[in-house]
Amino acid sequence: MVSSTMSNLEKEDHTRDAAFNKALHGKSANLRGGFASMLGKDAISQKAAVDEYFKHWDNKEASVETDEVRQLRRDEYATLTRHYYNLATDLYEYGWAQSFHFCRFAYGESFHRAIARHEHYLAHQMHLTDNMNVLDVGCGVGGPAREMVKFAGVNVTGLNNNDYQIERATNYAAREGLSDKLTFTKGDFMQMSFPDNTFDAVYAIEATVHAPHLQGVYEQIFRVLKPGGVFGVYEWLMTDNYDNDNPRHREIRLGIEQGDGISNMVRISEGLAAIRGAGFELELHEDLALRSDARPWYYPLAGEFKHCSSLGDLFTIGRMTKLGRSAIHRFLGVGEWVGVIPKGTQKTADSLALAADCLVAGGKDHLFTPMYLMVARKPAQQS
């Protein structure tokens, strides 16, 4: 199957991307912590990444956003996403985890245990087993991939269009002694270089939302899956309660897109149509955000102490209160002023904070879900 969107895609240039990665990040990929890595950036390259990313968002509020503006983001989806993660990866690692996704929370469950359980649940629903060859689409720094290897015994290839994340993912796998089960490769998930019928299974955890068109990335996944292979995804989608004519709804959607490097987020109904349109047989789909859990998926962002269930939550929740955010904003500003923290870090963090507010608002009003689960299969017999 050839995607109808292939002719409209950005041209890949791995040599250019590798050179920019070396200029911006230097050897910071080898440092352990996100905060330590954040300090080792080249100022000129950092400014270039900030300018390139925020040109899509500055002075383009929801009230004045046009179809042409949204189309430009879709046209430059790969560059937009790559520079977003050039700017945000260290902040994610420092402020969240090495698994860049949300999850459900059981009573008394720690943050990192809940993150792992969310990954295990996807592996369980996909029936992943020992030595299956599995593709992780949009693998980040490899947190979920490492967990899938340890939980299910699979062999994982991680696909990513950001060189810095690939370097960090490769280093983490080596530190945990998992290099024989994990490999990471550079590529655009809208135009994968893998041969047809390569993988036993494919999964994506909150990654394919970066696609300019969901059906296009789902078609690529369909192509590289073996006949009878399974695809499992946690998709970011606006729910069908979303009304694009409602100004507040548009502000929430745009705030999520800006703060999370997304060119084009769509509704659940469109996501379901996309996966079926790609040729998959849909076996399971559910919005897991509707489950009755002890705490909502967005509690780490909400800054509400009513969700506190452990001493660790005091920090998790406290940093997202008005006082906590103000302290982080000032800390980054001072760090930029004295030259310790690269300029643009504060602007990036403020964008993430805006997204957090919009994610919480979208979650509370059920306008948005980060965990629409779909499990689908490529037919064993191709027509």
Side-chain angles (χ1 to χ4, degrees), residues 149-326:
V149 167
K150 289 180 279 190
F151 178 74
V154 294
N155 304 304
V156 177
T157 299
L159 179 66
N160 197 319
N161 85 334
N162 183 278
D163 301 74
Y164 179 61
Q165 289 194 340
I166 291 171
E167 288 183 0
R168 290 191 72 77
T170 302
N171 290 340
Y172 285 133
R175 287 173 191 166
E176 294 190 24
L178 299 174
S179 297
D180 61 324
K181 302 283 283 183
L182 277 167
T183 58
F184 300 96
T185 188
K186 166 84 170 180
D188 178 355
F189 57 30
M190 295 294 293
Q191 41 192 331
M192 297 185 196
S193 60
F194 306 112
D196 294 356
N197 309 322
T198 296
F199 296 100
D200 301 309
V202 179
Y203 69 84
I205 299 180
E206 302 184 21
T208 45
V209 67
H210 293 293
H213 308 280
L214 277 182
Q215 184 166 327
V217 67
Y218 292 164
E219 286 173 350
Q220 284 291 295
I221 290 167
F222 186 93
R223 180 183 66 78
V224 302
L225 260 179
K226 294 177 181 177
V230 63
F231 170 45
V233 57
Y234 288 133
E235 194 62 83
W236 278 34
L237 293 165
M238 303 307 292
T239 73
D240 291 325
N241 294 330
Y242 173 79
D243 177 6
N244 199 54
D245 293 326
N246 184 312
R248 181 173 176 274
H249 289 194
R250 288 202 309 273
E251 288 178 2
I252 289 172
R253 184 213 66 210
L254 184 62
I256 294 171
E257 290 175 334
Q258 173 183 331
D260 292 289
I262 299 166
S263 65
N264 186 52
M265 193 156 51
V266 299
R267 296 182 182 89
I268 288 173
S269 56
E270 295 170 85
L272 291 170
I275 201 166
R276 291 180 173 122
F280 282 104
E281 295 175 346
L282 192 58
E283 297 183 343
L284 169 67
H285 65 97
E286 180 188 357
D287 184 359
L288 297 182
L290 296 179
R291 294 280 187 100
S292 298
D293 292 319
R295 292 177 291 175
W297 61 265
Y298 53 79
Y299 101 84
L301 303 178
E304 298 173 343
F305 284 105
K306 67 181 181 180
H307 297 307
C308 186
S309 66
S310 68
L311 288 176
D313 280 338
L314 291 175
F315 174 74
T316 298
I317 295 170
R319 66 185 175 181
M320 297 304 295
T321 62
K322 185 175 181 179
L323 181 62
R325 290 188 187 192
S326 177

